[in-house]
């Protein structure tokens, strides 16, 4: 990989990490009303960087825990634009995808045997497609878990099974649409840019790989946004 691309990748990753750390510290002082969002914001900052920080400060930051009552918190973001509420819902899905992809990519790198149920070796001659299958399954698990911990606290009378079913309904389409954008950009980067121009595919240990994954997550947000808008409009998913 070109040296300048490697340097740019390190800068991009460092900015994402710094932003995530800043938000993680801030949500300790200003915890979110929905506890799972204390994880969502810093996780999404890993790929969203300064833009995500601006969005968090504008539409997601809570009042200090020592200075708010439940009424204060509910009123603080009551009048946020619908477009911003949809974006927050999409980011909620994106956090689950991010966690799953970090786990899946590293797991496949250190223990390739996990790819066998996903068709490699065998169905696929390229391990990449099997890795994507692993990532998708892990993303479904983590995404639904994130959604469950958003739904269950708001519906105390809802049983665990019913909450899990509702979480699956709310997240499967959103998550799948996110993965479409993510896989699409990764495919473009690998097959149309890196291999033709540089003759090499970035390894999981490469900063270029994770910088590309940052861009892929942003593409995932773009493709997941319309799905979240539709899910909220149909009442399947609640705006955040």
């Amino acid at each position: 990989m070109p040296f300048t691309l490697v340097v740019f990748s390190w800068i991009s990753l460092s900015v994402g990490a710094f932003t995530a750390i800043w938000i993680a510290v801030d949500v300790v002082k200003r915890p979110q009303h929905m506890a799972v969002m204390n994880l969502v914001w810093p996780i999404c900052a890993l790929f969203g960087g300064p833009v995500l920080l601006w969005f968090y400060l504008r539409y997601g930051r809570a009042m200090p825990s020592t200075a708010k009552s439940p009424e204060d918190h509910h009123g603080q973001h009551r009048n946020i634009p619908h477009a911003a509420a949809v974006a927050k819902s999409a980011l909620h899905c994106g956090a689950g995808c991010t966690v799953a992809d970090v786990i899946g990519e590293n797991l496949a790198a250190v223990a390739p045997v996990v790819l066998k149920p996903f068709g490699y070796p065998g169905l696929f001659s390229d391990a990449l497609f099997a890795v994507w299958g692993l990532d998708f399954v892990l993303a479904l698990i983590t995404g639904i878990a994130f959604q469950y911990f958003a739904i269950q606290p708001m519906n105390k009378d809802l049983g665990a099974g019913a909450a899990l079913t509702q979480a699956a309904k709310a997240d499967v389409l959103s998550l799948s649409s996110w993965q479409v954008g993510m896989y699409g950009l990764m495919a473009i980067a690998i097959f149309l840019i890196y291999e033709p121009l540089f003759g090499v595919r970035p390894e999981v240990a490469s900063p270029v790989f994770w910088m590309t994954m940052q861009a892929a997550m942003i593409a995932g947000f773009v493709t997941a946004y319309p799905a979240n808008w539709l899910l909220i409009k149909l009442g399947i998913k609640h705006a955040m």
Side-chain angles (χ1 to χ4, degrees):
M1 289 292 174
F3 177 74
T4 52
L5 181 58
V6 174
V7 171
F8 174 81
S9 298
W10 277 119
I11 293 172
S12 180
L13 294 172
S14 298
V15 170
F18 176 81
T19 307
I21 292 170
W22 193 94
I23 293 179
V25 172
D26 195 63
V27 294
V28 171
K29 302 174 183 177
R30 300 166 176 263
Q32 299 282 300
H33 177 68
M34 189 180 296
V36 71
M37 294 302 291
N38 293 323
L39 298 175
V40 170
W41 287 114
I43 290 172
C44 289
L46 291 171
F47 63 84
V51 175
L52 192 283
L53 176 59
W54 170 84
F55 186 75
Y56 166 75
L57 293 174
R58 182 71 177 84
Y59 297 115
R61 195 183 197 193
M63 297 177 65
S65 57
T66 56
K68 70 182 180 183
S69 66
E71 292 75 18
D72 292 331
H73 183 97
H74 286 299
Q76 186 179 12
H77 299 296
R78 184 179 297 161
N79 298 317
I80 70 170
H82 181 65
V86 174
K88 289 172 70 174
S89 295
L91 288 172
H92 184 275
C93 165
C97 291
T98 301
V99 171
D101 290 326
V102 170
I103 294 173
E105 295 290 342
N106 284 284
L107 183 61
V110 299
V113 68
V114 300
L115 299 179
K116 193 169 180 60
F118 297 93
Y120 180 82
L123 179 62
F124 300 117
S125 59
D126 191 329
L128 178 66
F129 302 110
V131 174
W132 287 355
L134 171 64
D135 289 346
F136 182 74
V137 171
L138 292 176
L140 279 176
I141 294 170
T142 56
I144 291 172
F146 270 60
Q147 193 65 43
Y148 173 85
F149 287 110
I151 291 173
Q152 206 282 329
M154 295 188 299
N155 300 273
K156 297 294 186 181
D157 297 331
L158 199 64
L164 191 61
T165 299
Q166 191 172 330
K169 290 179 179 179
D171 208 62
V172 170
L173 176 60
S174 174
L175 184 142
S176 298
S177 60
W178 185 289
Q179 297 293 93
V180 167
M182 188 197 76
Y183 292 152
L185 192 139
M186 288 297 288
I188 291 171
I190 291 171
F191 297 120
L192 299 181
I193 299 175
Y194 296 145
E195 290 187 341
L197 295 182
F198 310 131
V200 66
R201 181 182 297 182
E203 300 292 337
V204 174
S206 165
V208 176
F209 177 88
W210 293 107
M211 180 276 294
T212 309
M213 186 65 81
Q214 285 180 314
M217 289 297 174
I218 295 171
F221 172 82
V222 172
T223 54
Y225 189 90
N228 277 270
W229 190 294
L230 177 63
L231 289 168
I232 292 170
K233 182 177 181 180
L234 294 177
I236 298 174
K237 192 171 185 179
H238 297 291
M240 294 186 178

